Amino acid sequence: MHLLRGAAAIVGAADTEVGVVPDKNPTQLCAQAIHGALADAGLSLADVDGLITANSMAEPYMYHAEMMAEYLQIFPRHTLSLGAGGGASFAALHQAASAIVTGMATTVVVAMADCLRTGLSRDQAMAMQSASGHPQFERPYGPTVPAFYGLVARAYMNTYGTGPEHFAAVAVNARDHASRHEGAQMREPIAVEDVLNSRMIADPLRLLDCSLVSDGGSAVVLTSAELARDLKQKPVYLLGAGEGHSYEHISASDNLVSSGAADAGRRAYEMAGMGPGDIDVAGIYDCFTPVVLIELEDLGFCGKGEGGDFVAEGNLGLGGSLPTNTHGGLLSHSHSGNPGSMFALSECVFQLRQQAGNRQVADAQTALVHAQGGILSSHCTVILGTEVS
Amino acid sequence: MSIHEGKNLPRPTPETQPFWDAAREHRLLIQQCADCNTHQFYPRSYCTNCGSGNLDWVEADGRATIVSYSVIDRPVSKAYSDPNSAILALVKLTEGPQMMTNIVDCDPADIAIGDPVTVVFEDWTDEISIVKFKRQEG
Ligand SMILES: [Zn+2]
C-alpha cells in the first residue's frame, strides 16, 4: 500500500467571506483563513510547524510563505510557496501529506488568499490576463484567458458534436448550488437560456460560461492520522493524490480535448485503491464550463465525449449520481485565482463531516477534488474519505 | 506601423534570434534535428525527440491547417481591437509543429477547424515582424 494513503488527515478548514471584499487585503484574508481553520481544528498557531501558501497577484511577496509566517509570528520547520495556478491548491495538499509522512513537519497549514476583484491595479489586471501566455510566441497575438479556453471549447464541440447548451448545463448546476450557499458571490438561479443569451466573450464562450473574478481566502490544517483521531473534528483522511503535468502553454498541447487530469486521476485512484464509482461527492475545477466536461471524462466518471449528456442528465446535482461543486464552484461561488479550488476542498471537508447544511449530500463518505492550473496545464487530484480502511 | 503601438512586443533571446531575424525578412524558420530529422517549434537548444543539440534552422513551407480557433469579442486592450487580432488560432504546420497565431483578412464565419492556411507577416517595428496566417485561396 502507498505510504501516503490514509497517513494524513484534514482536521480543520475555513473560508473567508468571498466576492467583493474591498475592505480587506489578501494578506489579511490569508491570516483570517488560517486562524479560522485552526479554530475549526481546535488548534493554535503554536501547533503549526509547516506552512504552504501560493502567492497573491494583488499583494505579491518574493517569498510568500515566509512572509505569512512572519506576519503570524510562527517559525515553521517547513515552508513552501507554490506556483501552479489553480492546480497549486491540491499540489499543496500532496506536499503537505508528504511532509507529514516524512517527518518534515507534524501539522501543516495550507492557506491561500487573493483579491482579484478589488485589489488589482489596471496594469496588474492586464498582466494577469496575458501572464499565462508565452512571452514571444503567444502574447503577441493578444490572447485572453477566455480565448485560450475558447480554443479548447471549439475543439471539443468539433470533436464530439457537443452544443453550447451542454456547456450551459454546467453553469446552471453551479448556480443552483450557489443559491443554497449564503456566502456565494452569485446566488440568483439561472436557466440554460440565460447562459445562451449572455454576452459573447471569446466565441464560443459566453459570459456565463466563464468563472467569476473574486476576492477571498481559504485554509485547511493537516496533521498525521494518529494525531487527528483525538482532535475536535471528525478527521477527513487523504486517501489518494496524483498529479499530471502536460505543458505550460496551450500551444504546446497535442490534444485539446484530453488533459493531464487522466494521469492525475489514475494516480490518485491507484493510491486510494478506489475508482470513479466509489466517489460520493466531487469538486471539479470549473474555470470555464467545457473544462468540467473534459475533466469528468478524464477522471472516468463518463466516457470521452459523453460529458455533455452526463451533466445535462442532472448527475452533478445534489440528488444526482455525482453531486459536484455543491458550494457553487468557480462559476458561482467565487474565483479568487490561486485560492479558487480551495473552496471546493473545504466544501468537500464539510460534506464528509456532514456539516454542509442545506447542501448536504446524504451520508457522503468519500470525495474527489480535482484542480488544474494554466490552460489545462498542471493537474492534481485528491481523494478524501472518512475511513482509512 | 502605429496601429501596432501598445501590442505585446516579443523580446528575442539568443535562442530565438534567428527566428525573429528571418521573420523580419518574411521567412518562417523552424528547427530540424540533424540526428533524427524531427521538426520543432518554438526554438530550443535541444531536440525534444532525441535530446540532440545538433539542430538546423530550416525554412517552413508556410502552409498549415487550423487546429482550433476562438473569436475574441472582448480584446485584452485597445491595441488588439483591430480585425486582424480578433481570431486567435492554433495551427499545425505541414512539417508537424503547432503554433499560436491570428487568422487575418477573413470573416470568422468563413473558417472552420481543418481549413488550410498560409503564412503572412505583419511588420510591427523595424526589428519585429509577426507570423500570422490567412486562408488558402482555392
Ligand atoms: Zn532529434
Side-chain angles (χ1 to χ4, degrees), chain A residues 325-351:
Chain A
N325 298 338
T326 58
H327 63 309
L330 304 170
L331 289 164
S332 283
H333 175 274
S334 66
H335 191 357
S336 45
N338 282 328
S341 48
M342 290 290 289
F343 298 91
L345 172 65
S346 54
E347 176 75 358
C348 284
V349 169
F350 301 142
Q351 286 283 358

Side-chain angles (χ1 to χ4, degrees), chain A:
Chain A
M1 188 161 65
H2 195 287
L3 65 124
L4 269 195
R5 187 189 184 283
I10 296 172
V11 295
D15 301 339
T16 70
E17 59 272 46
V18 302
V20 185
V21 191
D23 56 328
K24 289 184 180 171
N25 54 298
T27 302
Q28 200 177 4
L29 288 172
C30 195
Q32 180 182 331
I34 292 170
H35 275 278
L38 286 169
D40 181 63
L43 294 170
S44 72
L45 283 174
D47 297 307
V48 179
D49 61 358
L51 179 64
I52 303 180
T53 69
N55 215 341
S56 150
M57 302 270 313
E59 196 185 354
Y61 287 91
M62 188 78 89
Y63 312 115
H64 191 268
E66 314 297 324
M67 191 282 305
M68 282 311 304
E70 169 195 286
Y71 178 103
L72 297 164
Q73 280 298 290
I74 59 174
F75 307 91
R77 290 197 284 146
H78 177 59
T79 71
L80 189 63
S81 308
L82 276 175
S89 42
F90 302 156
L93 277 194
H94 200 184
Q95 278 287 340
S98 304
I100 289 166
V101 166
T102 56
M104 288 166 75
T106 304
T107 299
V108 181
V109 168
V110 175
M112 297 172 202
D114 212 342
C115 296
L116 299 188
R117 181 60 178 265
T118 64
L120 292 180
S121 69
R122 207 183 158 72
D123 286 348
Q124 282 174 317
M126 281 280 276
M128 192 185 74
Q129 271 292 328
S130 58
S132 55
H134 191 290
Q136 292 183 67
F137 299 111
E138 292 188 346
R139 277 190 227 168
Y141 300 105
T144 60
V145 176
F148 281 140
Y149 282 97
L151 297 169
V152 172
R154 185 169 318 269
Y156 187 89
M157 294 168 87
N158 191 67
T159 305
Y160 298 119
T162 307
E165 68 279 6
H166 291 105
F167 298 158
V170 174
V172 171
N173 177 71
R175 188 61 64 85
D176 183 47
H177 291 165
S179 72
R180 295 163 174 266
H181 190 306
E182 277 182 18
Q185 187 173 343
M186 297 294 281
R187 303 186 60 203
E188 186 73 23
I190 53 172
V192 166
E193 294 70 42
D194 296 319
V195 184
L196 300 182
N197 292 329
S198 65
R199 149 178 121 235
M200 196 65 89
I201 300 292
D203 193 355
L205 295 175
R206 294 177 178 276
L207 180 67
L208 293 179
D209 288 305
C210 306
S211 52
L212 304 170
V213 178
S214 317
D215 305 330
S218 182
V220 294
V221 185
L222 284 93
T223 194
S224 67
E226 199 179 344
L227 291 172
R229 278 179 210 111
D230 301 323
L231 292 178
K232 187 171 147 192
Q233 305 284 358
K234 195 171 149 65
V236 171
Y237 297 100
L238 189 144
L239 300 179
E243 301 180 30
H245 302 279
S246 319
Y247 50 80
E248 168 150 16
H249 304 102
I250 187 73
S251 56
S253 165
D254 62 359
N255 182 346
L256 294 172
V257 300
S258 289
S259 73
D263 291 331
R266 189 185 67 251
R267 290 165 184 148
Y269 288 132
E270 271 172 20
M271 190 192 298
M274 292 164 72
D278 299 314
I279 304 300
D280 294 336
V281 57
I284 303 288
Y285 203 78
D286 58 339
C287 52
F288 294 88
T289 53
V291 170
V292 174
L293 308 189
I294 291 172
E295 290 174 341
L296 286 168
E297 296 164 5
D298 288 345
L299 293 167
F301 293 111
C302 57
K304 286 308 289 181
E306 294 170 5
D309 287 337
F310 186 77
V311 176
E313 285 160 9
N315 285 295
L316 307 192
L318 285 178
S321 66
L322 186 73
T324 294
N325 298 338
T326 58
H327 63 309
L330 304 170
L331 289 164
S332 283
H333 175 274
S334 66
H335 191 357
S336 45
N338 282 328
S341 48
M342 290 290 289
F343 298 91
L345 172 65
S346 54
E347 176 75 358
C348 284
V349 169
F350 301 142
Q351 286 283 358
L352 297 191
R353 294 186 340 201
Q354 313 296 312
Q355 296 169 340
N358 62 352
R359 306 183 307 280
Q360 183 62 48
V361 174
D363 201 33
Q365 302 296 324
T366 57
L368 177 148
V369 288
H370 180 84
Q372 59 98 6
I375 316 298
L376 291 176
S377 313
S378 65
H379 293 258
C380 189
T381 308
V382 170
I383 296 172
L384 304 167
T386 55
E387 304 291 338
V388 174
S389 53

Side-chain angles (χ1 to χ4, degrees), chain A residues 126 129 136-142 144 147-148 150-151 154-155 158 199-203 250-251 253 256, chain B residues 8 11 13 16 19-20 41-43 68-71 73-74 76-77 80 88 98 100 102 113 124 130-131:
Chain A
M126 281 280 276
Q129 271 292 328
Q136 292 183 67
F137 299 111
E138 292 188 346
R139 277 190 227 168
Y141 300 105
T144 60
F148 281 140
L151 297 169
R154 185 169 318 269
N158 191 67
R199 149 178 121 235
M200 196 65 89
I201 300 292
D203 193 355
I250 187 73
S251 56
S253 165
L256 294 172
Chain B
N8 300 320
R11 290 175 52 194
T13 60
T16 64
F19 170 86
W20 292 111
F41 182 82
Y42 48 85
S68 193
Y69 66 98
S70 176
V71 187
D73 286 65
R74 307 274 297 173
V76 66
S77 69
Y80 282 96
L88 183 74
Q98 176 171 283
M100 184 165 284
N102 296 131
I113 288 175
W124 282 14
I130 300 294
V131 175

Side-chain angles (χ1 to χ4, degrees), chain B residues 85-106:
Chain B
S85 300
I87 306 175
L88 183 74
L90 293 178
V91 299
K92 194 172 174 57
L93 303 178
T94 313
E95 292 81 5
Q98 176 171 283
M99 58 190 294
M100 184 165 284
T101 191
N102 296 131
I103 308 296
V104 301
D105 299 331
C106 82

